[in-house]
């Protein structure tokens, strides 16, 4: 519906001009404002009402705003409100229209917040019809998660309610400017006879992969009402508003948390250097060589350093295991690196779990021939500070990779290798899918929706590449393997 379309109004309906009178007693016969005019009028009335009720709230409940902030965040000591300026966009509507003291310790359907109820008692005779409608919507409509179906930036969008189902076309001028299909919003929609608008909206755009958490929330809510043999309804979202907001808070905190880098075992990266004192380099090599699975003793000694007497002085070997539980196409996985020299064994691994395993392996294989001297653990940032040559080595590696990708034949081989690894993903057990493989998950509606969200997030991530020579997997091939519809353009 175009914004300039005329509104259909009955003679006894409230006049959309905001006067509070019935249409037949207000505007001229035959007059009907455009949707754009109704939106402007509603927006002005809503802003005026919000300003008035905010001043009222600060006068009557200003001393308790920190308590409301704690309840909103479900924490006794949240980040200070003054340091969370953007979050006021979703918190202030909560404080004005939903917050009730001790709400976290009560259950049942919400009847609107204490601030709004008190305000309506004191100002009831002064409110216009449109202000009454705004208050009614603000206090009775639930917050939900909405997925963008399509978007006309700066004008309107169509969204799908992930929890309740159903699409709504929403007039939205500012919040629609940078949204894309598949983005998620945590918001409240006000439904009016002429149009729908966002009454409140969280300040963050939720990426597609976090839809999995919303689907899990939906499954939880459906279990809560399973005995009633019905679909979820708006009053269910009001009843479980805290549970729904908790999901938003978890997603918000995850989005702003620093990234956690992991190795192929899924362990957080923490680089360990283990040092052992030994009596004999040759004896240490003989004991530890079997850790380099797939390599013969002679292969490992090809680059070794020998003394004038022919005895082993220095050698380096990799700690290798067969296969990889995350990447099924890998023949083996390098778990660590071992340097053997006269009097010392130095082992390097990239996680705490691997450090413990490495220590046990060395002590088991060398026994009394080795004495553990020290273990040094460093984060990635600490390693970078302590090793200035890392930047130079990384730059050299990037240059070598760029040169390699510029060769058509090499690029073709790398692309095929990457695609093979990517397509193996459909057979891997994914924690986000409840330990199921994507091939298993797509057989039920919720699982299919989760897999599609992961694929969309993957495609979005590849779009951010700036290198002209960078290779990318063909995600459409994964969709075909999973019998999913192609991505809508």
């Amino acid at each position: 519906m175009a914004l300039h379309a005329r509104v259909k109004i009955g003679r006894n309906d409230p006049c959309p001009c905001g006067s509070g009178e019935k249409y037949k007693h207000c505007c001229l016969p035959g007059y009907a404002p455009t949707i754009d005019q109704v939106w402007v009028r509603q927006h002005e009335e809503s802003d005026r009402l919000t300003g008035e009720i905010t001043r009222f709230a600060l006068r009557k409940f200003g001393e308790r705003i920190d308590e409301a902030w704690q309840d909103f965040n479900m924490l006794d000591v949240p980040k200070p409100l003054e340091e969370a300026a953007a979050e006021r966009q979703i918190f202030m509507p909560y404080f004005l229209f939903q917050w009730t003291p001790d709400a976290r310790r009560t259950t049942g359907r919400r009847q609107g917040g204490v601030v709004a109820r008190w305000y309506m008692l004191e100002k009831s005779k002064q409110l216009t019809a449109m202000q009454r409608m705004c208050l009614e919507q603000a206090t009775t409509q639930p917050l939900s998660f909405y997925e963008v179906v399509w978007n006309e930036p700066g004008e309107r969008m169509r969204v799908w309610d992930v929890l309740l189902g159903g699409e709504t076309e929403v007039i939205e001028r500012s919040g629609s400017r940078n949204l894309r299909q598949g983005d998620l919003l945590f918001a409240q929609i006000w439904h009016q006879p002429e149009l729908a608008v966002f009454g409140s909206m969280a300040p963050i755009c939720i990426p597609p992969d976090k839809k999995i958490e919303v689907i899990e929330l939906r499954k939880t809510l459906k279990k809560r009402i399973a005995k009633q043999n019905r679909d979820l309804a708006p009053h269910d979202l009001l009843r479980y508003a805290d549970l729904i907001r908790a999901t938003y808070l978890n997603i918000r905190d995850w989005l702003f948390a620093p990234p956690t880098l992991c190795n192929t075992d899924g362990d957080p990266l923490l680089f360990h250097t283990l040092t052992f004192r030994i009596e004999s380099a040759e004896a240490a090599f003989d004991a530890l060589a079997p850790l380099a699975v797939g390599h013969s003793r002679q292969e490992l000694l090809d680059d070794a350093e020998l003394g004038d007497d022919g005895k082993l002085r220095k050698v380096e070997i990799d700690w290798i295991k067969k296969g990889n539980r995350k990447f099924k196409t890998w023949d083996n996985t390098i778990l660590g690196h071992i340097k053997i020299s006269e009097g010392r064994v130095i082992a390097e691994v990239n996680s705490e779990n691997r450090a413990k395993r490495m220590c046990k392996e060395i002590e088991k294989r060398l026994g009394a021939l080795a004495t553990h001297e020290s273990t040094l653990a460093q984060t990635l940032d600490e390693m970078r500070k302590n090793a200035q040559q890392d930047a130079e080595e990384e730059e050299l590696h990037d240059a070598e990779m760029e040169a390699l990708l510029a060769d058509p034949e090499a690029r073709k081989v790398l692309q095929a290798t990457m695609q093979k690894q990517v397509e193996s993903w459909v057979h891997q057990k994914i924690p986000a899918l409840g330990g199921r493989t994507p091939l298993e998950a797509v057989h039920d509606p919720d699982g299919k929706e989760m897999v599609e969200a992961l694929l969309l997030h993957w495609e979005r991530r590849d779009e951010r590449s700036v290198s002209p020579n960078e290779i990318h997997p063909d995600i459409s091939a994964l969709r075909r393997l999973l019998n999913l519809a192609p991505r809508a353009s």
Side-chain angles (χ1 to χ4, degrees):
M1 179 168 58
L3 291 182
H4 62 269
R6 295 290 173 180
V7 179
K8 295 181 180 179
I9 310 169
R11 287 173 52 80
N12 291 314
D13 290 337
C15 185
C17 74
S19 65
E21 298 288 340
K22 291 184 179 180
Y23 174 55
K24 66 181 180 180
H25 296 312
C26 187
C27 291
L28 294 175
Y31 169 80
T34 65
I35 292 293
D36 189 54
Q37 291 169 330
V38 173
W39 180 87
V40 169
R41 179 63 178 169
Q42 182 275 329
H43 194 67
E44 291 174 349
E45 285 288 303
S46 176
D47 283 350
R48 186 178 300 112
L49 173 66
T50 300
E52 291 176 359
I53 196 172
T54 298
R55 289 188 289 273
F56 173 86
L58 293 177
R59 188 170 65 252
K60 297 284 188 178
F61 299 92
E63 295 180 354
R64 305 191 68 177
I65 193 168
D66 287 335
E67 179 187 343
W69 177 240
Q70 292 171 348
D71 287 345
F72 174 82
N73 285 280
M74 301 182 179
L75 292 172
D76 291 331
V77 188
K79 180 180 180 179
L81 178 57
E82 56 269 20
E83 296 179 16
E87 199 70 2
R88 286 177 175 268
Q89 180 177 320
I90 189 68
F91 165 66
M92 286 307 294
Y94 166 84
F95 174 51
L96 299 177
F97 305 117
Q98 282 99 42
W99 177 66
T100 297
D102 301 322
R104 281 191 286 171
R105 288 164 286 280
T106 61
T107 59
R109 184 173 175 177
R110 300 293 172 82
Q111 299 298 322
V114 63
V115 175
R117 292 201 304 272
W118 197 325
Y119 179 81
M120 285 187 283
L121 284 173
E122 286 200 6
K123 306 289 184 177
S124 60
K125 294 181 180 180
Q126 304 170 30
L127 298 174
T128 66
M130 186 167 285
Q131 287 176 333
R132 291 178 185 277
M133 180 190 67
C134 290
L135 278 169
E136 190 272 337
Q137 292 283 299
T139 55
T140 62
Q141 292 300 312
L143 280 96
S144 187
F145 290 91
Y146 295 93
E147 180 178 8
V148 177
V149 178
W150 59 258
N151 183 34
E152 187 178 320
E155 293 291 343
R156 56 185 177 156
M157 68 177 76
R158 182 171 288 275
V159 295
W160 180 66
D161 191 327
V162 182
L163 298 181
L164 297 179
E167 291 187 0
T168 304
E169 186 173 317
V170 182
I171 307 300
E172 175 59 35
R173 297 292 174 78
S174 59
S176 63
R177 296 188 185 280
N178 299 310
L179 294 173
R180 301 175 57 189
Q181 178 188 1
D183 288 335
L184 297 174
L185 306 171
F186 180 61
Q188 179 193 55
I189 291 181
W190 293 359
H191 298 274
Q192 303 174 22
E194 305 87 9
L195 49 79
V197 297
F198 286 119
S200 62
M201 182 194 305
I204 61 176
C205 173
I206 302 172
D209 65 319
K210 304 312 290 180
K211 184 179 179 182
I212 289 178
E213 295 188 28
V214 182
I215 295 172
E216 291 293 349
L217 168 65
R218 185 176 68 198
K219 291 163 66 175
T220 298
L221 294 176
K222 286 183 175 180
K223 288 180 181 178
R224 298 272 180 106
I225 66 164
K227 293 182 179 180
Q228 300 177 42
N229 194 29
R230 60 176 177 82
D231 293 330
L232 283 171
H235 64 81
D236 295 314
L237 304 196
L238 291 172
R239 181 180 182 185
Y240 298 111
D242 288 346
L243 179 59
I244 294 169
R245 192 172 72 260
T247 301
Y248 161 72
L249 295 171
N250 289 336
I251 293 173
R252 180 200 67 182
D253 294 344
W254 180 89
L255 289 174
F256 289 100
T260 301
L261 301 177
C262 299
N263 61 20
T264 56
D265 291 337
D267 298 329
L269 286 184
L270 186 60
F271 298 88
H272 288 69
T273 301
L274 297 86
T275 302
F276 292 82
R277 186 174 69 252
I278 58 172
E279 298 294 332
S280 166
E282 287 189 334
F285 173 73
D286 290 339
L288 300 178
L291 290 175
V293 174
H295 294 270
S296 66
R297 188 176 188 279
Q298 189 55 50
E299 287 175 329
L300 298 174
L301 289 173
D302 283 345
D303 296 323
E305 181 182 326
L306 304 178
D308 295 336
D309 56 1
K311 290 186 176 181
L312 180 67
R313 294 185 60 191
K314 291 183 180 180
V315 65
E316 297 185 14
I317 65 175
D318 288 323
W319 176 24
I320 302 172
K321 75 170 184 177
K322 288 184 178 180
N324 185 281
R325 67 181 182 182
K326 187 174 183 180
F327 301 102
K328 302 302 182 182
T329 59
W330 288 14
D331 296 326
N332 56 59
T333 303
I334 297 177
L335 301 177
H337 189 69
I338 302 171
K339 301 175 183 178
I340 302 173
S341 61
E342 293 180 329
R344 288 284 185 278
V345 167
I346 298 176
E348 298 171 336
V349 292
N350 62 10
S351 75
E352 183 177 1
N353 284 335
R354 288 183 181 179
K356 292 176 181 178
R357 291 170 59 191
M358 174 64 86
C359 191
K360 288 181 180 179
E361 287 286 354
I362 292 175
E363 291 176 342
K364 178 181 69 175
R365 293 172 185 273
L366 287 176
L369 299 177
T371 302
H372 181 223
E373 288 190 332
S374 66
T375 296
L376 173 65
Q378 299 180 93
T379 65
L380 184 59
D381 287 340
E382 290 171 336
M383 284 193 67
R384 285 172 176 167
K385 291 177 182 177
N386 295 333
Q388 296 181 358
Q389 68 270 23
D390 281 358
E392 299 175 2
E393 292 175 359
E394 185 176 344
E395 186 175 341
L396 178 61
H397 177 268
D398 290 343
E400 292 173 347
M401 183 58 69
E402 286 289 332
L404 187 63
L405 291 174
D407 182 335
E409 288 300 318
R411 184 183 181 87
K412 184 177 180 180
V413 171
L414 288 173
Q415 180 72 54
T417 302
M418 171 185 280
Q419 190 65 29
K420 185 178 179 182
Q421 292 177 358
V422 166
E423 291 180 8
S424 71
W425 177 79
V426 303
H427 302 287
Q428 296 173 23
K429 294 184 182 297
I430 309 298
L433 300 177
R436 295 179 295 174
T437 69
L439 275 173
E440 294 169 336
V442 294
H443 290 298
D444 72 78
D446 287 339
K448 181 180 178 182
E449 202 173 335
M450 291 177 175
V451 171
E452 288 180 325
L454 290 175
L455 291 177
L456 177 57
H457 184 73
W458 202 339
E459 289 166 328
R460 290 272 193 91
R461 186 179 58 190
D462 285 344
E463 289 173 1
R464 294 197 294 266
S465 171
V466 295
S467 174
N469 287 327
E470 192 168 339
I471 58 177
H472 300 287
D474 179 10
I475 305 301
S476 62
L478 291 179
R479 294 184 182 276
R480 290 192 293 272
L481 288 171
L482 295 166
N483 291 319
L484 298 176
R487 177 185 176 187
S489 57

Short mmCIF file of all heavy atoms in Angstrom, two decimals, residues 387-400:
data_model
loop_
_atom_site.label_atom_id
_atom_site.label_comp_id
_atom_site.label_asym_id
_atom_site.label_seq_id
_atom_site.Cartn_x
_atom_site.Cartn_y
_atom_site.Cartn_z
N ALA A 387 56.60 -11.02 20.25
CA ALA A 387 57.28 -11.49 19.04
C ALA A 387 56.97 -10.53 17.89
O ALA A 387 56.01 -10.70 17.17
CB ALA A 387 56.83 -12.91 18.68
N GLN A 388 57.79 -9.50 17.73
CA GLN A 388 57.53 -8.47 16.73
C GLN A 388 57.63 -9.02 15.31
O GLN A 388 57.05 -8.48 14.38
CB GLN A 388 58.51 -7.32 16.91
CG GLN A 388 58.37 -6.59 18.24
CD GLN A 388 59.35 -5.45 18.38
OE1 GLN A 388 60.16 -5.22 17.50
NE2 GLN A 388 59.28 -4.75 19.50
N GLN A 389 58.38 -10.10 15.15
CA GLN A 389 58.54 -10.66 13.81
C GLN A 389 57.25 -11.29 13.31
O GLN A 389 57.13 -11.57 12.12
CB GLN A 389 59.67 -11.70 13.78
CG GLN A 389 59.38 -12.97 14.55
CD GLN A 389 59.83 -12.89 16.00
OE1 GLN A 389 59.96 -11.79 16.53
NE2 GLN A 389 60.08 -14.03 16.60
N ASP A 390 56.25 -11.50 14.19
CA ASP A 390 54.99 -12.12 13.75
C ASP A 390 54.33 -11.31 12.65
O ASP A 390 53.81 -11.85 11.68
CB ASP A 390 54.03 -12.26 14.94
CG ASP A 390 54.39 -13.44 15.83
OD1 ASP A 390 55.35 -14.14 15.48
OD2 ASP A 390 53.70 -13.64 16.84
N ALA A 391 54.33 -9.98 12.80
CA ALA A 391 53.69 -9.13 11.80
C ALA A 391 54.39 -9.26 10.46
O ALA A 391 53.74 -9.32 9.41
CB ALA A 391 53.71 -7.68 12.27
N GLU A 392 55.74 -9.31 10.49
CA GLU A 392 56.48 -9.45 9.25
C GLU A 392 56.22 -10.80 8.60
O GLU A 392 56.05 -10.90 7.38
CB GLU A 392 57.97 -9.27 9.52
CG GLU A 392 58.33 -7.90 10.08
CD GLU A 392 59.80 -7.80 10.45
OE1 GLU A 392 60.52 -8.79 10.22
OE2 GLU A 392 60.22 -6.74 10.97
N GLU A 393 56.17 -11.85 9.43
CA GLU A 393 55.91 -13.19 8.90
C GLU A 393 54.50 -13.28 8.33
O GLU A 393 54.26 -13.89 7.28
CB GLU A 393 56.10 -14.23 10.00
CG GLU A 393 57.55 -14.37 10.45
CD GLU A 393 57.69 -15.32 11.62
OE1 GLU A 393 56.65 -15.84 12.07
OE2 GLU A 393 58.82 -15.54 12.08
N GLU A 394 53.52 -12.64 9.03
CA GLU A 394 52.14 -12.66 8.55
C GLU A 394 52.02 -11.92 7.22
O GLU A 394 51.32 -12.36 6.31
CB GLU A 394 51.23 -12.02 9.59
CG GLU A 394 49.76 -12.10 9.24
CD GLU A 394 48.87 -11.56 10.34
OE1 GLU A 394 49.37 -11.41 11.48
OE2 GLU A 394 47.69 -11.29 10.07
N GLU A 395 52.73 -10.78 7.12
CA GLU A 395 52.70 -10.01 5.87
C GLU A 395 53.32 -10.81 4.73
O GLU A 395 52.81 -10.82 3.60
CB GLU A 395 53.47 -8.71 6.07
CG GLU A 395 53.40 -7.77 4.88
CD GLU A 395 54.08 -6.45 5.16
OE1 GLU A 395 54.29 -6.12 6.35
OE2 GLU A 395 54.42 -5.74 4.19
N LEU A 396 54.41 -11.53 5.03
CA LEU A 396 55.04 -12.36 4.02
C LEU A 396 54.12 -13.50 3.59
O LEU A 396 53.98 -13.80 2.39
CB LEU A 396 56.36 -12.93 4.57
CG LEU A 396 57.14 -13.88 3.63
CD1 LEU A 396 57.54 -13.12 2.36
CD2 LEU A 396 58.38 -14.42 4.34
N HIS A 397 53.43 -14.10 4.56
CA HIS A 397 52.49 -15.18 4.25
C HIS A 397 51.35 -14.67 3.38
O HIS A 397 50.94 -15.33 2.42
CB HIS A 397 51.94 -15.76 5.55
CG HIS A 397 50.91 -16.83 5.34
ND1 HIS A 397 49.55 -16.53 5.28
CD2 HIS A 397 51.01 -18.18 5.14
CE1 HIS A 397 48.88 -17.63 5.06
NE2 HIS A 397 49.73 -18.65 4.99
N ASP A 398 50.81 -13.48 3.71
CA ASP A 398 49.73 -12.91 2.91
C ASP A 398 50.18 -12.64 1.49
O ASP A 398 49.43 -12.87 0.53
CB ASP A 398 49.23 -11.60 3.55
CG ASP A 398 48.49 -11.86 4.86
OD1 ASP A 398 48.09 -13.01 5.08
OD2 ASP A 398 48.31 -10.89 5.63
N ALA A 399 51.41 -12.13 1.33
CA ALA A 399 51.93 -11.87 -0.01
C ALA A 399 52.09 -13.15 -0.80
O ALA A 399 51.78 -13.22 -2.01
CB ALA A 399 53.27 -11.14 0.10
N GLU A 400 52.57 -14.20 -0.13
CA GLU A 400 52.72 -15.49 -0.80
C GLU A 400 51.36 -16.05 -1.23
O GLU A 400 51.22 -16.60 -2.33
CB GLU A 400 53.43 -16.48 0.13
CG GLU A 400 54.89 -16.13 0.39
CD GLU A 400 55.50 -17.03 1.45
OE1 GLU A 400 54.72 -17.74 2.14
OE2 GLU A 400 56.74 -17.05 1.59
#
